[in-house]
Amino acid sequence: MRALVLGGGGMVGQKLALHLSVHGLGGEPVELTLHDIAFPPQPLPGVNQIVGSIADAGTAARLARTRPDVIFHLASIVSGEAEANFSKGWAVNMHPTWALLEALRAEHEADPDYCPRLVFTSSIAVFGGPYPDKISDTFLQAPQTSYGAQKLICETMISDFSRKGYIDGISIRLPTICVRPGAPNAAASGFFSGIIREPLNGQEAILPVADTVRHWHASPRSATGFLTHAATLDTETLGGRRALNLPGISCTVAEQIEALREVAGNDPVKLIKRQPDPVIEKIVEGWPRDFAPERAKALGFKAESSFKEIIEVYLEDDLNAPGP
Amino acid sequence: MRALVLGGGGMVGQKLALHLSVHGLGGEPVELTLHDIAFPPQPLPGVNQIVGSIADAGTAARLARTRPDVIFHLASIVSGEAEANFSKGWAVNMHPTWALLEALRAEHEADPDYCPRLVFTSSIAVFGGPYPDKISDTFLQAPQTSYGAQKLICETMISDFSRKGYIDGISIRLPTICVRPGAPNAAASGFFSGIIREPLNGQEAILPVADTVRHWHASPRSATGFLTHAATLDTETLGGRRALNLPGISCTVAEQIEALREVAGNDPVKLIKRQPDPVIEKIVEGWPRDFAPERAKALGFKAESSFKEIIEVYLEDDLNAPGP
């Protein structure tokens, strides 16, 4: 089977690609192509890489013409950048999805047997407060960032193209992925990973919010599991609701820190420096904190069962893993 | 003040235009321009008409350059047509809204004082079943038609452009407007009006569904009220949720017929012919039936208090009214 990963150069894309190239998908080997604006210096063996922007005219159509069986659509700029650069946000996070869907529909119309599975990484940013204690599967979407609005719009298009039978799409609203390996990124959510990762690497980490802040997490390993499960499940079971809140771990920053202490002792915890940042505090205040993702659980999506387990996944898969 | 009505040639657009030209808006006289692909033969006095398609390249930008203070965006093709003609649905019901928003943003960036009120007529078609008994203000949007998907996407764009301060938008999800005056239209919902209007005009009407079918209604007079109220309310009170479920009357077809009997006696009721249509039955089965629109009520939106009142509005405003 042929799989295409849009945004295949990013952290989650690379982990997914490694998984697919080793394990295949649904018991079948995968001929894998990654597309992104940039890739890590060391390409994965046996994996095709295409460098380019999904926002460039003609790119979506060119990729659709290769008729992948499965498309993982992870390509987007992050929330902070979409907020700072309004035009770029819509140009990268919304319009190319429309172009891709129209290109896939054209392929389907040329050959009605062609109806690819499209797995779209949406986000809990489609939600906006005020929130109930736990966000249920029937809670309204009311994004409070351009990124969230763009994700909701892509979900909505994907559902409608799927309902009409042009593609077979599913949107998965990822929790914040934590612990992100590697260097800090510019995301406002970066500290959720930073306060675990930096101390485990013997480095100081800044905590810009109060430790009562509650948030919704899953590991990069779970993200790969979500993606491959979404690529292989029977979409008939989704009814008309093809966007899913995924399982995760809801915990406070204090609970994250406590889990770090349990796993690694007191010394790493001492490396966390409290340095409140009102800008980040305000952004984070608007984010979802807890979910009751019953549908996704019933459909077989799985995340960790504690934040401690999330840290252990980081130790196994990243800190102590041989580099790629 | 200058107001622009997109879709100003349609039934609701014409009623709104008549109201604005007589009463003004918020105590101020209105210099009114209507835009649509076609208009009734007799133009409203003192009202500018522009014939054209909102989907034509450059139209949105040309209209934005006139810098209306208030824009009522009612322009769309109906649900049935958007379902039958997929490309046309997106080309008319989605892309021009994007073009309009970008054009208004450009005007705002040229003159930061320019931030028009945009009132968008969305629809209860943004929802999809299964439904609770009453749809609350926090129930998820999961459209099951292209029309509903397009409305949800426009709402989401309008909210985000508003959040950024480029426009001051509000989306109102209209109930089914009933009793529609004039000739039957092609909408699958047409019979809800037809079974009242035709008998009151001494003509036979076809009822294609069971009389246990429950639906959500408001009169054309209420529609005008919704639009003018949305154009003048303080949008700060909306918080981050600029799309509203509006009040209406939830009743069964049997209750509609009973109200007709109360208002006009037995003879009109005998003109209703039951002729089940499985296609229409299936479409209607997917529609919302009842709401608890607490936010809109608290914000001062008002509909009728009974279906009988909806019929009386038809008698006063249309059946017995002098023609335009």
Side-chain angles (χ1 to χ4, degrees):
Chain A
M1 100 165 40
R2 276 180 303 176
L4 169 67
V5 183
L6 305 174
M11 187 273 286
V12 173
Q14 286 281 297
K15 289 202 176 269
L16 172 67
L18 181 61
H19 181 93
L20 292 174
S21 65
V22 172
H23 300 282
L25 185 65
E28 279 186 63
V30 169
E31 187 191 321
L32 189 57
T33 300
L34 313 182
H35 182 275
D36 212 327
I37 50 167
F39 288 93
Q42 187 73 43
L44 295 166
V47 172
N48 308 311
Q49 287 187 178
I50 304 173
V51 177
S53 170
I54 186 74
D56 286 348
T59 298
R62 218 161 33 242
L63 293 168
R65 275 198 294 276
T66 67
R67 296 201 182 168
D69 301 297
V70 180
I71 301 164
F72 296 95
H73 179 1
L74 286 63
S76 76
I77 62 171
V78 300
S79 182
E81 191 175 1
E83 210 53 34
N85 191 335
F86 188 81
S87 292
K88 186 176 177 186
W90 291 92
V92 175
N93 292 357
M94 193 274 275
H95 292 292
T97 301
W98 171 259
L100 177 66
L101 291 171
E102 277 290 82
L104 293 172
R105 181 165 76 97
E107 296 302 319
H108 171 80
E109 283 174 349
D111 172 5
D113 286 339
Y114 181 64
C115 182
R117 176 65 53 96
L118 176 65
V119 179
F120 175 64
T121 51
S122 186
S123 163
I124 56 176
V126 300
F127 297 106
Y131 301 112
D133 284 348
K134 284 176 187 278
I135 294 177
S136 77
D137 290 327
T138 58
F139 188 65
L140 89 163
Q141 311 93 295
Q144 302 302 318
T145 57
S146 295
Y147 178 83
Q150 291 143 11
K151 291 290 188 187
L152 174 55
I153 288 172
C154 291
E155 284 185 359
T156 305
M157 291 173 178
I158 288 165
S159 290
D160 202 56
F161 277 70
S162 298
R163 189 182 58 79
K164 298 289 274 190
Y166 304 135
I167 62 162
D168 182 11
I170 176 170
S171 297
I172 52 178
R173 295 170 182 155
L174 297 180
T176 290
I177 299 304
C178 184
V179 179
R180 291 182 65 91
N185 72 359
S189 59
F191 71 89
F192 287 119
S193 285
I195 58 169
I196 307 300
R197 183 187 56 229
E198 267 64 285
L200 286 174
N201 286 278
Q203 286 160 22
E204 210 171 79
I206 303 297
L207 173 58
V209 303
D211 66 6
T212 51
V213 164
R214 178 174 285 284
H215 196 60
W216 185 242
H217 305 276
S219 74
R221 189 195 285 176
S222 287
T224 296
F226 295 151
L227 286 159
T228 56
H229 189 61
T232 51
L233 64 69
D234 177 3
T235 51
E236 287 296 311
T237 58
L238 297 174
R241 296 183 183 169
R242 286 176 178 258
L244 285 169
N245 299 341
L246 296 185
I249 289 295
S250 173
C251 68
T252 62
V253 168
E255 287 162 354
Q256 284 189 269
I257 294 171
E258 211 35 54
L260 176 63
R261 193 188 318 270
E262 264 188 74
V263 172
N266 271 325
D267 286 351
V269 171
K270 288 180 196 153
L271 291 166
I272 301 172
K273 300 294 163 206
R274 283 152 210 267
Q275 194 174 295
D277 179 332
V279 175
I280 293 183
E281 276 173 339
K282 190 163 175 353
I283 295 174
V284 172
E285 205 182 275
W287 289 349
R289 293 177 284 269
D290 200 357
F291 287 80
E294 304 306 333
R295 286 185 71 214
K297 282 187 190 168
L299 288 162
F301 288 91
K302 283 189 187 64
E304 285 73 20
S305 55
S306 69
F307 196 81
K308 187 178 165 213
E309 197 183 333
I310 287 180
I311 299 178
E312 287 162 351
V313 168
Y314 172 71
L315 296 178
E316 285 171 36
D317 288 2
D318 293 296
L319 187 67
N320 302 322
Chain B
M1 108 167 32
R2 274 181 305 175
L4 169 67
V5 183
L6 304 174
M11 187 270 289
V12 173
Q14 286 281 299
K15 288 199 179 272
L16 172 67
L18 181 61
H19 181 93
L20 293 174
S21 64
V22 172
H23 301 282
L25 184 65
E28 278 187 63
V30 170
E31 186 190 322
L32 189 57
T33 300
L34 312 183
H35 182 276
D36 211 326
I37 51 167
F39 287 93
Q42 187 73 42
L44 295 165
V47 173
N48 309 311
Q49 287 187 179
I50 304 174
V51 178
S53 170
I54 186 75
D56 287 348
T59 298
R62 220 163 27 243
L63 292 169
R65 276 198 295 276
T66 67
R67 296 199 183 168
D69 302 295
V70 180
I71 300 164
F72 295 94
H73 179 2
L74 286 61
S76 77
I77 62 171
V78 299
S79 181
E81 191 176 1
E83 209 53 35
N85 191 335
F86 188 81
S87 292
K88 186 176 177 186
W90 291 92
V92 175
N93 292 357
M94 194 273 276
H95 292 292
T97 302
W98 171 259
L100 176 66
L101 291 171
E102 278 290 80
L104 293 172
R105 181 165 75 98
E107 297 302 320
H108 171 82
E109 284 175 349
D111 172 6
D113 286 338
Y114 181 66
C115 182
R117 175 67 52 95
L118 176 65
V119 179
F120 175 64
T121 51
S122 186
S123 163
I124 56 176
V126 300
F127 297 106
Y131 300 113
D133 285 347
K134 285 175 186 276
I135 294 177
S136 76
D137 290 328
T138 59
F139 188 65
L140 90 162
Q141 310 92 297
Q144 301 302 316
T145 58
S146 295
Y147 177 84
Q150 291 144 12
K151 290 291 188 186
L152 174 55
I153 288 172
C154 291
E155 284 183 0
T156 306
M157 292 172 176
I158 288 165
S159 290
D160 202 54
F161 277 70
S162 298
R163 190 183 57 80
K164 298 289 274 192
Y166 305 136
I167 62 163
D168 182 9
I170 175 170
S171 298
I172 52 177
R173 295 172 181 152
L174 297 180
T176 290
I177 299 304
C178 186
V179 179
R180 289 181 66 89
N185 74 356
S189 59
F191 72 88
F192 287 119
S193 285
I195 60 170
I196 307 300
R197 182 187 57 228
E198 268 64 285
L200 287 174
N201 286 279
Q203 285 159 21
E204 210 171 78
I206 303 296
L207 173 59
V209 303
D211 65 7
T212 51
V213 164
R214 178 174 286 283
H215 196 60
W216 185 243
H217 306 275
S219 74
R221 191 194 285 176
S222 287
T224 296
F226 295 151
L227 286 158
T228 54
H229 189 61
T232 50
L233 65 70
D234 177 4
T235 52
E236 287 296 311
T237 59
L238 297 174
R241 297 184 181 167
R242 288 177 178 256
L244 285 170
N245 300 340
L246 296 185
I249 288 295
S250 173
C251 66
T252 63
V253 168
E255 287 162 353
Q256 283 189 269
I257 295 172
E258 211 34 55
L260 176 62
R261 193 188 316 273
E262 264 188 74
V263 172
N266 271 325
D267 286 350
V269 171
K270 288 180 197 154
L271 291 167
I272 301 172
K273 301 296 163 202
R274 281 151 212 266
Q275 195 174 294
D277 180 331
V279 175
I280 293 182
E281 277 172 338
K282 192 166 174 351
I283 295 174
V284 172
E285 205 180 278
W287 288 349
R289 292 177 286 269
D290 200 357
F291 286 80
E294 304 306 332
R295 285 185 72 215
K297 282 187 191 168
L299 288 163
F301 287 91
K302 283 190 187 64
E304 285 74 20
S305 56
S306 69
F307 196 81
K308 188 179 164 212
E309 196 182 333
I310 287 181
I311 299 178
E312 287 162 352
V313 168
Y314 172 70
L315 296 177
E316 283 171 36
D317 288 3
D318 292 297
L319 187 67
N320 302 323

